[in-house]
Amino acid sequence: MENRNKGLGRRKFLKALAALPVLGGLAAYGAPILRFLKPNLEPGLGLPKGQLQNLAEMDLPTGGALPLGSVQEFKEPWSFRYFVYTQAFAQYTPQRSKSATIPAMAIKLPNKLSFPGFQQGKVETDIVMFSRICPHLGCIFNFVPNHKEVTAGYGGYTPPPERQHGLMACPCHLSIYDPADAKVPGRVISGPAPREPRYMSYEIRDGILVVTGAEPGGIA
Amino acid sequence: MNQLGDRLREWFRERKQKLDLFDETYVDVAQTNPLYTLGQIVYFSWIVVIVTGVWLMFWYEPTEAAAYNSIIRIQHEVPFGWLIRGAHKYAADLLILGILLRLYRMYFLAEYKRPGELSWIILFLSLVLGMISGITGYLLIWNQRAFWAAKVVLTTSIYLDELPIIGATKFGTAIAYIFLGGPAIGQGTLTRFYAIHFGISALCLVAVELYYIFTRRRRFLMSPAMILVLLAMIVATSYIFPAELGRRADPNRTPLPILSDWYFLALYQYVKYTPPLWAGLGPGLLINYGMLIPFLDRTKGRKLSERPFFATVGFVALTWYLLFTALIIWNVAVIDQDPHLIMLATLGAMIVGLILEVRYRRRQRAAEAAQSKPLRPPAGGRAAPSPGA
């Protein structure tokens, strides 16, 4: 019995060895079936070069600078405004390109802090702008001017005394952000979010707030 | 090699004989114990879901622009649309509820033990498939609840890229793209969810039919009276509580109390408590753990008192499921403090379970030793069957 098993063992081993490329071949047949499911993220995959690769000028999505209003309108501390920024974003779809919209907000703070959303880098300002896409799982969060509403409506979190002012809070998983944090504007003070929300970059042109872009990066 | 193959084949042969897709081997028990009608209720509600689903397809328009309006039309204009849609929704709820209750029954009565392993795994898999059908199904309404549920679920998988080594393959992002059909929720997602929603049931139905044909078992074991009662319940529920529509999906606004369907609520609360990587990883591990339970639980007894540790695990799981569901409905989540309490309570319960298990086994061994001493039978009176052979 032992001997027979041993003799068969070698044959089995060789058979198993021979089976490996066969299995590999079968997997190679399976690969396109799986690849079929994943959408292309850039045009012209598998086509001769130049045929679909370049988006024509007219195909590029429009977007860009968005005038938001004059600085004078943001006088009161904790006044805020929601807006939707259209990002010029070449994204491959059946329509060949698309523009993405980012819900966002601008908040007037009572004190100045250094905010990174400027062309020249960090600048002292009391108007901050954030994308409203939650860096946790992509819901759209809100600005809540009264911190008591955060406690009442977002799971019962009570902010410490130094943060008892307007806060940003997400309805989905109750991440809470402090827009006025001096070190990290938009710092996560409660909830599961892994980072602060993306900032919107803007500039002031002749007293008009103009949104010019969004901090690059995905949801997290 | 050969022996392993033989043993595997033998393993499957034994389980296949006792395989129980919809409690069809418990017909006699079901006469007196309603817990054993659960399998048949699951099968019946599934058939109702499939039939009404095909009916709904006559009116439903799977496009971003028209989906929500077509649901309104089905609910309010199409003759008996409310009935077909209500029956589809409530039969689906009954399906999930039936699977859940049956899982708990199999767990607490230890029906997953040999030879029930395969039945348990298939039932667990059917819960997962049922939940996927659920989440793909309610996006088809294209309302706020569905939109944000889909957004959240498909974003969790992106965090899987943070895993060491396998994360570098970007498989999490690939999963998200495959289900989204693009970089964000849109027409591609709707089309794919429609295909998945219908496809799961269609393919499973073929599999179940093949099983019935090859095993020559009967399909329906319920009495006509019970079928009528169930149908009447579904019709009455659809009439009294018309299936909800919600608000049309708005990608620029998340409503403040935002909930998912009832069977996801506990999971939703869990996602609030954990870092986002664990939001995806936790449920994945939980599913794997659940499927492997027949192989992890090596105890021999079937009563709860004979396997105190796994009994504790079951009660802890049930408690958290119910408590998390309650907490999210009350909108309570103190994120700085709750997770610590939850971890402490779980750990405490597990330790108690472990102590009970050790004590039980020690007592069992003492009893065996006392029994075997005077007579000296061949090695161990009760624990004779060779393990796992």
Side-chain angles (χ1 to χ4, degrees):
Chain A
M1 195 70 190
E2 277 291 298
N3 277 340
R4 239 184 70 201
N5 264 352
K6 249 184 194 166
L8 272 175
R10 191 174 295 154
R11 187 181 293 171
K12 277 266 149 68
F13 174 73
L14 288 172
K15 265 190 187 172
L17 212 63
L20 282 178
V22 176
L23 287 177
L26 287 177
Y29 275 107
I33 296 173
L34 287 178
R35 182 59 191 85
F36 170 84
L37 297 174
K38 190 168 175 271
N40 284 347
L41 298 180
E42 47 198 74
L45 208 74
L47 284 175
K49 263 209 159 45
Q51 200 156 331
L52 251 177
Q53 243 88 348
N54 301 317
L55 296 172
E57 190 103 348
M58 53 180 283
D59 286 334
L60 282 172
T62 51
L66 171 75
L68 200 62
S70 73
V71 183
Q72 300 301 316
E73 287 174 59
F74 283 91
K75 266 219 162 128
E76 279 294 304
W78 303 115
S79 57
F80 70 103
R81 180 176 293 178
Y82 291 157
F83 58 93
V84 175
Y85 178 73
T86 306
Q87 198 175 26
F89 180 45
Q91 168 190 294
Y92 180 59
T93 66
Q95 293 84 39
R96 301 195 61 191
S97 68
K98 200 181 170 184
S99 52
T101 55
I102 302 176
M105 65 169 95
I107 306 169
K108 164 88 176 181
L109 302 175
N111 54 313
K112 289 201 170 196
L113 51 74
S114 104
F115 182 71
F118 292 94
Q119 213 170 18
Q120 58 269 45
K122 286 193 176 182
V123 170
E124 289 279 316
T125 178
D126 53 2
I127 296 174
V128 289
M129 296 193 191
F130 295 103
S131 152
R132 287 176 64 204
I133 300 174
C134 184
H136 177 226
L137 293 173
C139 296
I140 307 301
F141 61 79
N142 302 317
F143 178 69
V144 189
N146 186 346
H147 69 90
K148 282 183 183 148
E149 275 175 45
V150 173
T151 310
Y154 294 84
Y157 168 76
T158 317
E162 70 273 18
R163 294 188 200 275
Q164 293 194 345
H165 48 59
L167 295 170
M168 304 187 286
C170 182
C172 281
H173 304 100
L174 314 177
S175 293
I176 295 164
Y177 310 95
D178 182 0
D181 189 279
K183 282 217 181 86
V184 185
R187 180 196 288 271
V188 187
I189 54 174
S190 172
R195 55 158 290 153
E196 70 280 5
R198 308 261 165 202
Y199 60 79
M200 305 298 292
S201 38
Y202 72 96
E203 48 196 67
I204 296 169
R205 297 180 191 164
D206 304 331
I208 304 281
L209 290 167
V210 182
V211 187
T212 52
E215 183 189 350
I219 277 177
Chain B
M1 269 301 270
N2 208 13
Q3 271 184 341
L4 187 75
D6 278 347
R7 272 172 63 181
L8 260 175
R9 227 167 288 140
E10 182 58 29
W11 190 91
F12 268 108
R13 202 187 54 75
E14 191 186 336
R15 268 85 194 158
K16 222 170 70 188
Q17 273 177 351
K18 299 280 165 55
L19 185 61
D20 221 357
L21 287 187
F22 302 105
D23 285 344
E24 55 269 29
T25 61
Y26 289 107
V27 189
D28 301 332
V29 194
Q31 304 282 337
T32 50
N33 188 344
L35 279 180
Y36 289 92
T37 54
L38 282 172
Q40 284 297 302
I41 290 177
V42 167
Y43 184 55
F44 170 76
S45 49
W46 187 38
I47 298 296
V48 173
V49 167
I50 292 174
V51 172
T52 51
V54 171
W55 236 239
L56 287 173
M57 287 167 95
F58 278 73
W59 283 103
Y60 177 68
E61 294 168 44
T63 64
E64 241 180 302
Y68 186 79
N69 291 350
S70 74
I71 303 280
I72 294 182
R73 188 181 304 139
I74 290 170
Q75 189 71 24
H76 297 295
E77 275 179 38
V78 177
F80 295 106
W82 61 269
L83 177 62
I84 302 293
R85 182 160 171 264
H88 189 68
K89 184 205 168 2
Y90 291 117
D93 283 347
L94 186 64
L95 175 75
I96 300 274
L97 188 66
I99 293 177
L100 276 176
L101 290 177
R102 205 176 148 222
L103 265 178
Y104 278 113
R105 186 200 79 202
M106 286 189 84
Y107 188 86
F108 286 122
L109 298 180
E111 284 164 26
Y112 57 79
K113 293 197 169 184
R114 186 180 175 195
E117 294 103 323
L118 206 56
S119 304
W120 168 269
I121 291 173
I122 289 175
L123 183 62
F124 211 94
L125 207 63
S126 71
L127 176 70
V128 175
L129 289 177
M131 286 176 117
I132 296 176
S133 291
I135 201 162
T136 49
Y138 74 85
L139 183 75
L140 301 182
I141 307 172
W142 207 249
N143 61 10
Q144 281 284 56
R145 167 184 286 199
F147 185 91
W148 294 106
K151 176 118 203 164
V152 162
V153 167
L154 291 176
T155 314
T156 42
S157 74
I158 291 176
Y159 282 95
L160 294 178
D161 290 347
E162 286 178 9
L163 286 172
I165 306 167
I166 49 169
T169 58
K170 298 273 172 209
F171 76 104
T173 313
I175 293 174
Y177 276 126
I178 284 173
F179 283 95
L180 286 170
I185 295 185
Q187 182 58 53
T189 323
L190 190 59
T191 308
R192 276 162 196 241
F193 273 34
Y194 196 31
I196 295 166
H197 185 67
F198 180 66
I200 286 177
S201 273
L203 295 180
C204 287
L205 189 67
V206 171
V208 167
E209 276 306 305
L210 283 176
Y211 165 80
Y212 275 131
I213 288 166
F214 282 120
T215 56
R216 301 183 184 190
R217 287 188 183 174
R218 275 185 57 201
R219 283 169 185 74
F220 267 114
L221 302 163
M222 264 197 286
S223 61
M226 194 165 158
I227 292 177
L228 276 179
V229 168
L230 278 178
L231 268 180
M233 274 167 63
I234 291 172
V235 171
T237 318
S238 334
Y239 183 74
I240 300 167
F241 306 104
E244 281 175 33
L245 274 161
R247 282 171 183 273
R248 190 190 302 269
D250 177 358
N252 291 333
R253 192 178 159 272
T254 310
L256 175 50
I258 177 87
L259 297 175
S260 54
D261 242 358
W262 61 269
Y263 39 90
F264 283 113
L265 287 180
L267 198 59
Y268 210 109
Q269 181 77 357
Y270 164 81
V271 172
K272 289 180 184 174
Y273 288 143
T274 48
L277 173 60
W278 280 93
L281 215 54
L285 290 175
L286 208 63
I287 290 169
N288 282 305
Y289 173 75
M291 294 242 219
L292 289 178
I293 274 197
F295 309 104
L296 296 173
D297 183 4
R298 313 292 301 176
T299 54
K300 294 187 188 67
R302 281 178 181 249
K303 282 189 204 144
L304 285 179
S305 58
E306 288 172 331
R307 44 190 188 107
F309 181 70
F310 278 90
T312 318
V313 171
F315 283 119
V316 167
L318 183 58
T319 310
W320 287 144
Y321 184 73
L322 296 177
L323 190 71
F324 278 20
T325 306
L327 281 177
I328 196 165
I329 290 172
W330 297 329
N331 195 10
V332 176
V334 185
I335 289 160
D336 300 331
Q337 151 206 327
D338 292 359
H340 303 292
L341 291 179
I342 292 162
M343 287 302 268
L344 269 177
T346 310
L347 212 67
M350 291 297 177
I351 289 170
V352 169
L354 212 61
I355 290 171
L356 287 176
E357 180 81 35
V358 169
R359 263 183 56 193
Y360 170 74
R361 288 196 180 185
R362 206 174 279 164
R363 213 176 297 154
Q364 193 72 4
R365 226 172 292 141
E368 266 170 34
Q371 221 178 27
S372 61
K373 234 172 209 169
L375 284 167
R376 287 199 61 192
R382 295 190 54 181
S386 56

